[in-house]
């Protein structure tokens, strides 16, 4: 499998100028290719192929208007065309129903004011990591890298990224082999929430960090300072960087939190089950800020990716499964409850904590679905009636249906 390893890089002022030039050239090539395809589509002409775009790029370098494209690595420009091709491929697969998720629109033009700029170098560009630990990029030079860990294998490509906070990163694509962890007998169901980030079926809880809520005062002050600056001034640009850095700090803390807890859960359990929450729908409610601050989607995505890498089982329970309404002891359906109800008593006498009970039900539902998916016998074989034992129709039907409860 392929993984990305991202490291912070610190280019010199001169290298920042060269990177800005490369960002601009890649953006112009992308926009020119997109304009060519959109112009052909509106004029009713045939679809412009990748080979034709590549030939047009080679011809454009020979013209006075685009001669400055030769100042950057040609691989960067070819990768810009590859990005456009990927965008169109995703669009065609989305409208045809072959791509999962929300329907994608046509590719859009890139702007120099985009919060994220990036260029990509492949092996053809002959980038290298020097013996001194620096990243050598063609027509840019050796860039200092802050290595937090070693690369597991030779990278196939590196993407240089500049985010909205003005930070630079190098993202390496490397090929790794799956590392199966020692098998465990424990399995866990996880109930995600806002008051408590996660409650596990074994009783463990993860407190909600609320990174955005804790940083709201700092963000409010930085945003207020930005609103007072004159548009187009240097002071407004500096204030914008402060706001972007404050948001980047919150995002980094949330990502680090999700990485640490997802890794711990995967290491301690052989199978992990979570509820398939509709985060997009919850993001339209009055709880939108708290929902996005929790980062449920990122957390579950990390659980799924790490389960595949380390030989664990991961599954999502249907979002319509009434995990908070069922009694985990007797299975009685007690009906809907408001969010203010944190504990309740079942008719069987069991006293349930709302979140722990939901986690237990998610675990049971996930285990049942896993047995079904692995080919377990859901419906038992019919019980043949013995001679002289006619039985009623209801008795025979009960024997045939068994645990299905029909």
């Amino acid at each position: 499998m392929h993984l990305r390893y991202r490291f912070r890089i610190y280019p010199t002022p001169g290298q920042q100028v060269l990177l800005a030039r490369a960002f601009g050239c890649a953006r112009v090539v992308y926009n020119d290719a997109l304009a060519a395809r959109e112009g052909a589509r509106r004029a009713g002409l045939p679809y412009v192929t990748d080979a034709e775009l590549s030939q047009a790029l080679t011809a454009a370098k020979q013209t006075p208007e685009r001669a400055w494209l030769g100042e950057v690595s040609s691989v960067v420009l070819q990768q810009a065309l590859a990005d456009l091709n990927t965008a169109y491929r995703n669009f065609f697969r989305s409208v045809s129903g072959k791509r999962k998720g929300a329907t994608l629109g046509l590719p859009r033009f890139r702007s120099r004011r985009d919060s994220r700029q990036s260029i990509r170098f492949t092996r053809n560009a002959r980038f290298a990591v020097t013996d001194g630990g620096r990243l050598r990029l063609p027509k840019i030079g050796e860039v200092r890298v802050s290595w937090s860990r070693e690369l597991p294998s030779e990278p196939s490509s590196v993407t240089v990224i500049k985010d909205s906070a003005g930070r630079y990163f190098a993202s390496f694509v490397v090929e790794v082999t799956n590392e199966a962890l020692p098998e465990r007998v424990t399995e866990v169901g996880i109930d995600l929430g806002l008051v408590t980030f996660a409650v596990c079926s074994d009783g463990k809880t993860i407190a909600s960090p609320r990174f955005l809520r804790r940083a709201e005062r700092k963000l409010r002050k930085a945003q207020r300072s930005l609103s007072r600056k004159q548009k187009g001034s240097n002071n407004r640009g500096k204030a914008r960087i402060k706001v972007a850095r404050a948001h980047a700090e919150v995002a980094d803390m949330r990502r680090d939190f999700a990485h640490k807890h997802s890794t711990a859960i995967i290491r301690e359990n052989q199978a992990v089950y979570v509820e398939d929450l509709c985060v997009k729908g919850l993001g339209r409610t009055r709880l939108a800020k708290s929902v996005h601050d929790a980062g449920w989607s990122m957390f579950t995505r990390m659980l799924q990716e790490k389960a595949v890498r380390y030989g664990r089982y991961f599954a999502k329970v249907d979002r319509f499964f009434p995990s908070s309404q069922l009694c985990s002891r007797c299975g009685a359906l007690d009906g809907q409850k408001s969010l203010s109800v944190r504990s309740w008593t079942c008719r069987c006498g069991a006293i349930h904590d709302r979140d722990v009970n939901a986690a237990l039900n998610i675990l049971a539902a996930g285990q049942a679905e896993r047995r079904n998916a692995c080919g377990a016998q859901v419906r038992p074989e019919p019980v043949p009636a013995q001679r002289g034992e006619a039985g009623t129709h209801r008795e025979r039907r009960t024997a045939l249906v068994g645990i299905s409860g029909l």
Side-chain angles (χ1 to χ4, degrees), residues 102-180:
T103 303
L104 298 180
L106 285 168
R108 299 180 181 180
F109 290 97
R110 293 178 176 177
S111 172
R112 68 176 65 182
R113 296 181 178 84
D114 290 342
S115 60
R116 184 180 183 275
Q117 303 285 342
S118 66
I119 53 175
R120 185 167 60 255
F121 299 89
T122 60
R123 288 177 179 173
N124 295 335
R126 296 181 181 179
F127 70 91
V129 178
T130 65
D131 296 336
R134 291 177 177 264
L135 176 62
R136 183 187 296 122
L137 300 174
K139 295 190 178 182
I140 294 177
E142 296 183 0
V143 184
R144 185 167 66 91
V145 184
S146 179
W147 299 100
S148 58
R149 50 184 171 173
E150 295 183 358
L151 294 174
S153 62
E154 191 72 18
S156 60
S157 68
V158 59
T159 303
V160 180
I161 304 168
K162 181 183 179 182
D163 65 1
S164 59
R167 304 178 300 176
Y168 292 85
F169 296 93
S171 178
F172 297 90
V173 176
V174 297
E175 185 174 359
V176 298
T177 57
N178 294 340
E179 305 171 2

Side-chain angles (χ1 to χ4, degrees), residues 275-276 317-323 325:
E275 188 176 5
D276 185 17
V317 176
D318 187 80
R319 65 184 58 172
F320 298 106
F321 176 70
S323 58
Q325 305 175 24

